[in-house]
Amino acid sequence: MNVLLAVCGSIAIGPNIISMLRDIDKVNKIVGIDINNDNPGRFLVDKFYQAPKTRDEKFIPFMLDLCIKEKVDIILCTSTQNSLIPLKKNERLFNKINVKIPGTNINDLLLANDKGLMLDKVNESGIDCPNFILPDNVKHFDSFLNKNKSVIVKPRVSSGSRGFRILKDNYKLTYNDLVGKTDDSSKIVDSKTYRDIIDKDGSFSDILMMEYLDGQDYSVYTLAEKGKSLVTIPFKRLKPKDGVSLVSEVDMNKCVIEYVEKIVKLFNLDWVNNIQLKLSPQNKPMIYEINPRLAGSVILTKGAGCDLVKYGLDILSGEKLKVTNPKNCKMIRYFTEVLV
């Protein structure tokens, strides 16, 4: 099969997925696209094309023409906003030329991708989740701050750690902040300063406020089929930085697996997904994000002996799924260079 990797230039995702595809016998050719011409992924794929922005009306015609030209069978997406959603909205056009776009259907996809709507649905279902609010105004913002000891804020629709902030009252920069001795110092902002900027220049309805959870952080990968999890592999995020796991290891926590299986069913998730959660002080899993697509540390599943990219392509090829039990694996991420 010929695979098109959409947004192949992501440093945290593109290169490791390309390396995984290289080791799958059924993959014949890898075509990559990205809006950025200077990216490492372009030198790792077989063919690279600089793409228009997804908001550009030329994007879908460009993708259709490219699929025909390169005889693409499957499009894999590494970005929800910048590839999966716009492509899923036009999925029927690609199906007409026999191109598959694996992933959750567009309605459930949009719901899972909006952190506010996602937590609303989890809360309404009775599944445990953190305290949160989708504020409408200054009053709502201040009320939630007063009721919770520690609060984080983030855009309802974003990726990685973009826009993530920890709020603290009367926060002043210290010398330790300036010399890098304070954890997360770059993410901490004064509550009143943040509130006033949103009130003046933005919209409260665009942000999510949530209690800060300081328990163990998990990144869970799942291969699903229309709401049923076929494989679920949790990883402890031992050293996350700016949304990327630098050190992770397999942890087949039964409570986390059962919790994630409920989430997969609730959102009718399909194909490969990534779910992020933390443990509460009572060791209860608490979801804070769904990445309904291939995500940065999916290569860990290969290290665990359960390559979810390969399994996913097997399903798309109509093959019977043969799953092995995950083995212990630890990932230590480092960056290397492509010299051109």
Side-chain angles (χ1 to χ4, degrees), residues 2 10 26 115 120 134 177 231 234 261 291-292 329:
N2 296 327
S10 168
K26 64 171 60 69
K115 297 173 182 65
D120 257 344
L134 308 179
D177 291 331
V231 188
E261 288 175 348
N291 295 307
C329 176

mmCIF file of all heavy atoms in Angstrom, residues 2 10 26 115 120 134 177 231 234 261 291-292 329:
data_model
loop_
_atom_site.group_PDB
_atom_site.id
_atom_site.type_symbol
_atom_site.label_atom_id
_atom_site.label_comp_id
_atom_site.label_asym_id
_atom_site.label_seq_id
_atom_site.Cartn_x
_atom_site.Cartn_y
_atom_site.Cartn_z
ATOM 1 N N ASN A 2 0.342 2.305 -0.573
ATOM 2 C CA ASN A 2 1.004 3.606 -0.568
ATOM 3 C C ASN A 2 0.348 4.485 0.494
ATOM 4 O O ASN A 2 -0.878 4.650 0.491
ATOM 5 C CB ASN A 2 0.906 4.266 -1.941
ATOM 6 C CG ASN A 2 1.645 3.465 -3.002
ATOM 7 O OD1 ASN A 2 2.653 2.835 -2.726
ATOM 8 N ND2 ASN A 2 1.135 3.481 -4.231
ATOM 9 N N SER A 10 6.191 17.350 11.738
ATOM 10 C CA SER A 10 6.206 17.488 13.189
ATOM 11 C C SER A 10 7.403 16.749 13.773
ATOM 12 O O SER A 10 7.553 15.544 13.604
ATOM 13 C CB SER A 10 4.909 16.914 13.778
ATOM 14 O OG SER A 10 5.006 16.787 15.169
ATOM 15 N N LYS A 26 3.912 -4.359 4.267
ATOM 16 C CA LYS A 26 2.862 -4.016 3.305
ATOM 17 C C LYS A 26 2.934 -2.561 2.821
ATOM 18 O O LYS A 26 2.254 -2.183 1.880
ATOM 19 C CB LYS A 26 1.474 -4.304 3.880
ATOM 20 C CG LYS A 26 1.090 -3.480 5.094
ATOM 21 C CD LYS A 26 -0.382 -3.651 5.480
ATOM 22 C CE LYS A 26 -0.732 -5.058 5.814
ATOM 23 N NZ LYS A 26 -0.126 -5.543 7.069
ATOM 24 N N LYS A 115 -11.845 20.187 24.233
ATOM 25 C CA LYS A 115 -11.615 19.751 25.603
ATOM 26 C C LYS A 115 -12.786 20.087 26.525
ATOM 27 O O LYS A 115 -13.078 19.354 27.473
ATOM 28 C CB LYS A 115 -10.328 20.367 26.136
ATOM 29 C CG LYS A 115 -9.081 19.935 25.368
ATOM 30 C CD LYS A 115 -7.852 20.709 25.821
ATOM 31 C CE LYS A 115 -6.612 20.334 25.032
ATOM 32 N NZ LYS A 115 -6.717 20.706 23.594
ATOM 33 N N ASP A 120 -17.475 17.889 29.400
ATOM 34 C CA ASP A 120 -18.921 17.962 29.647
ATOM 35 C C ASP A 120 -19.567 16.592 29.473
ATOM 36 O O ASP A 120 -20.372 16.150 30.296
ATOM 37 C CB ASP A 120 -19.574 18.961 28.673
ATOM 38 C CG ASP A 120 -19.887 20.294 29.342
ATOM 39 O OD1 ASP A 120 -19.891 20.358 30.591
ATOM 40 O OD2 ASP A 120 -20.127 21.272 28.617
ATOM 41 N N LEU A 134 -16.381 25.853 32.006
ATOM 42 C CA LEU A 134 -16.241 26.608 30.762
ATOM 43 C C LEU A 134 -16.789 27.994 31.068
ATOM 44 O O LEU A 134 -17.988 28.246 30.981
ATOM 45 C CB LEU A 134 -17.030 25.933 29.634
ATOM 46 C CG LEU A 134 -16.746 24.440 29.416
ATOM 47 C CD1 LEU A 134 -17.606 23.877 28.287
ATOM 48 C CD2 LEU A 134 -15.275 24.216 29.128
ATOM 49 N N ASP A 177 13.133 31.563 39.055
ATOM 50 C CA ASP A 177 12.445 31.470 37.762
ATOM 51 C C ASP A 177 13.395 31.847 36.633
ATOM 52 O O ASP A 177 13.469 31.177 35.607
ATOM 53 C CB ASP A 177 11.228 32.411 37.724
ATOM 54 C CG ASP A 177 10.111 31.964 38.651
ATOM 55 O OD1 ASP A 177 9.996 30.749 38.877
ATOM 56 O OD2 ASP A 177 9.361 32.829 39.136
ATOM 57 N N VAL A 231 -7.081 -2.995 21.655
ATOM 58 C CA VAL A 231 -5.811 -3.013 22.371
ATOM 59 C C VAL A 231 -5.697 -1.703 23.151
ATOM 60 O O VAL A 231 -5.946 -0.635 22.593
ATOM 61 C CB VAL A 231 -4.601 -3.128 21.415
ATOM 62 C CG1 VAL A 231 -3.317 -3.341 22.215
ATOM 63 C CG2 VAL A 231 -4.783 -4.245 20.398
ATOM 64 N N PRO A 234 -1.278 1.543 28.394
ATOM 65 C CA PRO A 234 -0.968 2.771 29.141
ATOM 66 C C PRO A 234 0.541 2.935 29.332
ATOM 67 O O PRO A 234 1.265 1.966 29.550
ATOM 68 C CB PRO A 234 -1.643 2.548 30.502
ATOM 69 C CG PRO A 234 -2.403 1.256 30.393
ATOM 70 C CD PRO A 234 -1.775 0.487 29.280
ATOM 71 N N GLU A 261 -11.179 2.238 28.382
ATOM 72 C CA GLU A 261 -12.149 1.489 27.578
ATOM 73 C C GLU A 261 -13.539 2.121 27.658
ATOM 74 O O GLU A 261 -14.287 2.127 26.676
ATOM 75 C CB GLU A 261 -12.177 0.028 28.021
ATOM 76 C CG GLU A 261 -10.922 -0.742 27.593
ATOM 77 C CD GLU A 261 -10.859 -2.160 28.131
ATOM 78 O OE1 GLU A 261 -11.666 -2.493 29.035
ATOM 79 O OE2 GLU A 261 -10.007 -2.931 27.650
ATOM 80 N N ASN A 291 -6.545 12.794 22.114
ATOM 81 C CA ASN A 291 -5.950 13.036 20.800
ATOM 82 C C ASN A 291 -6.471 11.936 19.877
ATOM 83 O O ASN A 291 -5.925 10.832 19.879
ATOM 84 C CB ASN A 291 -4.414 12.993 20.879
ATOM 85 C CG ASN A 291 -3.855 14.110 21.730
ATOM 86 O OD1 ASN A 291 -4.157 15.272 21.507
ATOM 87 N ND2 ASN A 291 -3.056 13.761 22.723
ATOM 88 N N PRO A 292 -7.508 12.221 19.100
ATOM 89 C CA PRO A 292 -8.143 11.161 18.302
ATOM 90 C C PRO A 292 -7.388 10.884 17.001
ATOM 91 O O PRO A 292 -7.950 10.943 15.901
ATOM 92 C CB PRO A 292 -9.544 11.739 18.034
ATOM 93 C CG PRO A 292 -9.351 13.219 18.040
ATOM 94 C CD PRO A 292 -8.201 13.513 18.974
ATOM 95 N N CYS A 329 8.605 -1.876 28.539
ATOM 96 C CA CYS A 329 9.418 -1.065 27.634
ATOM 97 C C CYS A 329 9.522 0.340 28.202
ATOM 98 O O CYS A 329 8.556 0.870 28.753
ATOM 99 C CB CYS A 329 8.791 -1.033 26.244
ATOM 100 S SG CYS A 329 9.648 0.035 25.067
#
